[in-house]
Amino acid sequence: DAGVTQSPTHLIKTRGQQVTLRCSPISGHKSVSWYQQVLGQGPQFIFQYYEKEERGRGNFPDRFSARQFPNYSSELNVNALLLGDSALYLCASSSPGLAVEQFFGPGTRLTVL
Amino acid sequence: DAKTTQPPSMDCAEGRAANLPCNHSTISGNEYVYWYRQIHSQGPQYIIHGLKNNETNEMASLIITEDRKSSTLILPHATLRDTAVYYCIVTRVNDMRFGAGTRLTVKP
């Protein structure tokens, strides 16, 4: 079975631009979460979506938004990019239920110049 | 969610058990303890989780103290491939709040 997939693998943008990152969860998983990992730090929670509804939001500005589609795939959008948005963006999916494991994708490496 | 404290780094000899501690003194009764690890430049990998009983799977064992204020992840026979950053997370919902973790280096 395919794991969590993310696209693109790498991305280079300039300050002020907008970016869209994509995530496809494991088949049967209805929950998708997004994380930002800056070099040298642990992943920081951005959003969680379940059944197309936002279920949780981390401490990120409104420039960050996300959505989940009927097939449970998800997009993360970041507007007005800043140099500090350069990071590895990770997507994780999980099956329904409490206290379940999350399966992470390989991430998208975003570089803002 | 409860905050966790882990040592920043640890070394372990190959073939020996690696015992990684985590303090979570403010844990609530309905919060689970999760462990993930991250090998350089890869997405985090789930290891194990538990509520109050000790847990074991094919990768590791999780020992939670009776008062639930601390836990230990045990890798019974560490290999070079276990070199990674190990994260202890306490949460009652499915969003993982990662800290800085413990960088475990397994040495030959």
Side-chain angles (χ1 to χ4, degrees), chain A residues 12-61:
Chain A
I12 299 175
K13 292 285 189 178
T14 57
R15 280 179 295 175
Q17 285 189 310
Q18 175 265 340
V19 68
T20 298
L21 311 180
R22 296 176 176 83
C23 171
S24 292
I26 291 172
S27 177
H29 286 188
K30 298 182 179 181
S31 178
V32 170
S33 299
W34 287 95
Y35 297 82
Q36 180 197 65
Q37 186 171 26
V38 174
L39 196 63
Q41 299 181 18
Q44 298 301 303
F45 172 72
I46 309 175
F47 289 110
Q48 184 186 45
Y49 275 78
Y50 177 72
E51 291 276 17
K52 297 177 289 180
E53 299 281 332
E54 182 183 303
R55 290 299 180 93
R57 172 186 285 254
N59 188 24
F60 279 81

Side-chain angles (χ1 to χ4, degrees), chain A residues 35 37 43 97-99 102, chain B residues 34 36 38 49 92 94 96 98:
Chain A
Y35 297 82
Q37 186 171 26
L98 187 63
Q102 291 196 352
Chain B
Y34 283 82
Y36 282 78
Q38 188 172 27
H49 75 278
R92 61 177 176 83
N94 292 331
M96 301 295 156
F98 290 78

Side-chain angles (χ1 to χ4, degrees), chain B residues 28-94:
Chain B
S28 300
N30 59 355
E31 290 182 314
Y32 288 77
V33 180
Y34 283 82
W35 284 83
Y36 282 78
R37 72 180 182 183
Q38 188 172 27
I39 297 171
H40 182 62
S41 296
Q42 298 180 19
Q45 176 190 23
Y46 167 83
I47 301 173
I48 199 167
H49 75 278
L51 184 60
K52 49 186 173 183
N53 297 321
N54 297 338
E55 302 287 346
T56 295
N57 63 20
E58 65 278 3
M59 288 183 66
S61 294
L62 173 60
I63 308 298
I64 302 174
T65 58
E66 192 169 343
D67 63 6
R68 303 208 325 124
K69 293 185 176 182
S70 65
S71 60
T72 301
L73 177 74
I74 301 172
L75 307 179
H77 304 288
T79 71
L80 299 179
R81 290 181 297 177
D82 291 322
T83 292
V85 178
Y86 287 77
Y87 297 100
C88 169
I89 301 161
V90 173
T91 183
R92 61 177 176 83
V93 293
N94 292 331

Side-chain angles (χ1 to χ4, degrees), chain B residues 10-24:
Chain B
M10 293 181 63
D11 291 341
C12 177
E14 187 178 20
R16 305 297 292 269
N19 296 276
L20 292 89
C22 180
N23 285 317
H24 32 80

